[in-house]
Every structure is written in C-alpha cells, then in structure tokens.
Amino acid sequence: MNVGILGLGLIGGSLARAYAKAGHSVYAAEENTSILEFATLAGVVEDALTEETIGNCDLILLAIFSGGCVAWLEKNAKHIHSDALVIDCCGVKDTVCSHCFPLADRYGFTFVGGHPMAGSHYSGFKYSRSNLFQGAPMVLVPPRFDDPVLLSRVKEALSPCSFGSFSVTTAKDHDQMIAFTSQMPHIVSNAYIKSPTASAHKGFSAGSYKDLTRVAWLNPTMWAELFLSNRENVLTELDTYISSLQKYRDAIAQNDEASLIALLDEGRRIKEEVDG
C-alpha cells in the first residue's frame, strides 16, 4: 500500500514509522525539509508527497493543524485518485469535516474524519515512535453512518497503527466531548502552573503535581488554534469549571466545613461513577 502523510510531527511521524515498519511505502509532505530528509535517510519515508506522487497513494493521512489540513486538501484534491481513502488526524472535527466532505464528493475520493487519542507533551519527529497508537482509541467521523463496508475499509487501512478500539460519532458530538476530555485539561494545567509558588515546588511535589502539570508543556500555536476552532464548546466547559471552582472558594473563604466536605464527596462520587 502506498501511504501519503501530511506532516512529520509526533503524530505524522509516528504514523509514518508504523506504516514503514509494516512494509508499506510512505510518501510525506513536511515544511521542514531537514526533517523530511532525515526521515528519508532513516528509511521511514520513501519519497516526498508531491503533486506527482499524490495520485499513487491508496491512503492519505493528514496530520498537521486543522487549518493546514483543509488548505492542503483544497489545493491537492484534484490530484487524489478516486479510489483513495483520506483520513485527517486533527483535534477538532466540525471545521475539518464541513470543508473536506464536500471536497471528497466533488473529486470522487473518500474522506473520513479521524482523531487518534494518543500523544505526548513532547512534539516533533524525534519523539515519534511506531507504537504510539498501540492499544489507543481512534475516533472516526464517517460521511455516512449506514455503511459498514466503509468502516471495515477504514479499520483495515489503519491496522498498522494497532489501535485498541474505534468509536464512531458525529463531528458535532466529537467536538463537544473533546472540549471536556482533551482541551480543558490543557487549559487547566497551563493555567495552574502560573502560580508564583510553582518555582519553589521541588522537594514538595509528587504524583498529584506531575499528573496535573504534565500537559502544561504544550505547543501554544497548535492548541490556540484548537481552542478557537472549538470555541463555543470550550467556553461552555470553562464556564462550568469556573462556577465549580467558585463554590470551593466560597466554602473555604467562609470556613464552611460541611459545604466543603459535600463538594469534595460529590466530586469523589462522580469520579467513581464515570470511571468505575
């Protein structure tokens, strides 16, 4: 299988490594030519993904910022073979799918929205690895929900990644959920580390601190685009969180132990219910 990959960062690089390891031919497009050259010398990439090679690809994976994915597909859709499958790996789906589904219909190829639920607080090709997605969930947003043949085709095409499970949803539902499960934790972590106390934490911190601050180390440009692309859902989650924090603050400020215990127990019970 010939696989085209747009972007050789952590996600795109890991995809490239997974497919190359499985014996497939990988063609890649990467702004940083030195990274593309390194990936080629390392045997991960066979050749550049260009107007000349796009038409040879059976599968194309879009693994850069959402705006860049849409722009690339708008420019190159005419070169994609009608039998090809195109899957994006962006963190938002509504803005991507609303642009890419019509492009696929116009030019005859198949587009499916995708979001691999795997990653790291590190970024770049040097941190990519072939087993990044092993056992991880993969969220799919297909153009049709009554096409089991398409879903089987997608799962087969993604088999070198060794995903642990697949979820099928709409772009709207994906973005609503991801605002809570992914985008909010990054905001909370990034805001939390701004405490003036943070500079003196060494020797006083353990697992709780590490768990909460891990994703504060992020790619600012990428995450800003994701937050703004999913603005309404993120604002809803932010407002809910701020309202909850205010209740804790009020109970502590008023020395109201009973209310504080009730709030803490409520959170503990909800955690137990949602995560077993």
Side-chain angles (χ1 to χ4, degrees):
M1 181 166 60
N2 292 329
V3 182
I5 297 178
L6 176 62
L8 289 174
L10 176 68
I11 299 299
S14 296
L15 289 168
R17 290 183 186 277
Y19 281 92
K21 185 176 181 179
H24 301 290
S25 298
V26 175
Y27 298 83
E30 167 57 50
E31 265 189 344
N32 190 325
T33 55
S34 63
I35 292 176
L36 181 58
E37 290 170 1
F38 178 81
T40 304
L41 289 171
V44 176
V45 172
E46 183 168 313
D47 203 350
L49 183 65
T50 64
E51 292 182 358
E52 289 71 33
T53 57
I54 287 171
N56 298 328
C57 293
D58 308 294
L59 172 66
I60 297 177
L61 301 167
L62 310 178
I64 61 173
F65 298 177
S66 57
C69 286
V70 171
W72 186 90
L73 199 60
E74 286 177 340
K75 179 182 177 182
N76 294 287
K78 60 187 176 183
H79 302 299
I80 298 173
H81 195 277
S82 59
D83 291 333
L85 174 63
V86 180
I87 304 173
D88 85 283
C89 299
C90 299
V92 290
K93 295 273 73 76
D94 198 27
T95 57
V96 174
C97 291
S98 63
H99 285 87
C100 295
F101 283 149
L103 284 171
D105 289 339
R106 187 186 316 163
Y107 292 98
F109 59 87
T110 301
F111 176 84
V112 173
H115 188 181
M117 303 306 298
S120 168
H121 54 287
Y122 297 110
S123 61
F125 183 78
K126 68 178 180 178
Y127 294 108
S128 64
R129 61 183 194 272
S130 62
N131 64 348
L132 179 67
F133 310 105
Q134 187 170 356
M138 177 61 165
V139 182
L140 300 174
V141 178
R144 301 176 301 279
F145 287 85
D146 58 349
D147 192 346
V149 174
L150 172 59
L151 293 177
S152 295
R153 179 188 176 192
V154 171
K155 291 179 181 179
E156 177 61 28
L158 294 172
S159 59
C161 301
S162 299
F163 287 108
S165 63
F166 291 89
S167 299
V168 179
T169 186
T170 65
K172 180 180 178 180
D173 286 347
H174 167 277
D175 288 358
Q176 183 177 358
M177 184 60 69
I178 219 69
F180 171 72
T181 62
S182 178
Q183 293 170 352
M184 271 299 294
H186 283 80
I187 293 174
V188 171
S189 180
N190 197 262
Y192 172 79
I193 200 63
K194 294 177 182 178
S195 167
T197 313
S199 61
H201 82 86
K202 291 183 179 179
F204 295 85
S205 57
S208 298
Y209 169 85
K210 291 178 181 178
D211 290 345
L212 185 54
T213 60
R214 182 180 65 83
V215 293
W217 195 349
L218 46 68
N219 181 323
T221 303
M222 182 186 78
W223 283 99
E225 180 180 305
L226 289 171
F227 297 151
L228 295 177
S229 296
N230 199 22
R231 184 172 61 252
E232 294 305 318
N233 288 318
V234 172
L235 286 174
T236 296
E237 292 297 336
L238 266 174
D239 289 342
T240 300
Y241 186 61
I242 291 169
S243 176
S244 292
L245 284 178
Q246 187 63 50
K247 293 176 183 178
Y248 288 86
R249 190 192 188 287
D250 290 345
I252 292 170
Q254 296 163 14
N255 202 30
D256 187 345
E257 184 178 13
S259 294
L260 185 57
I261 290 174
L263 287 168
L264 293 168
D265 190 55
E266 179 187 33
R268 180 197 61 77
R269 286 188 289 103
I270 291 174
K271 170 65 176 176
E272 185 177 19
E273 290 170 5
V274 300
D275 289 341

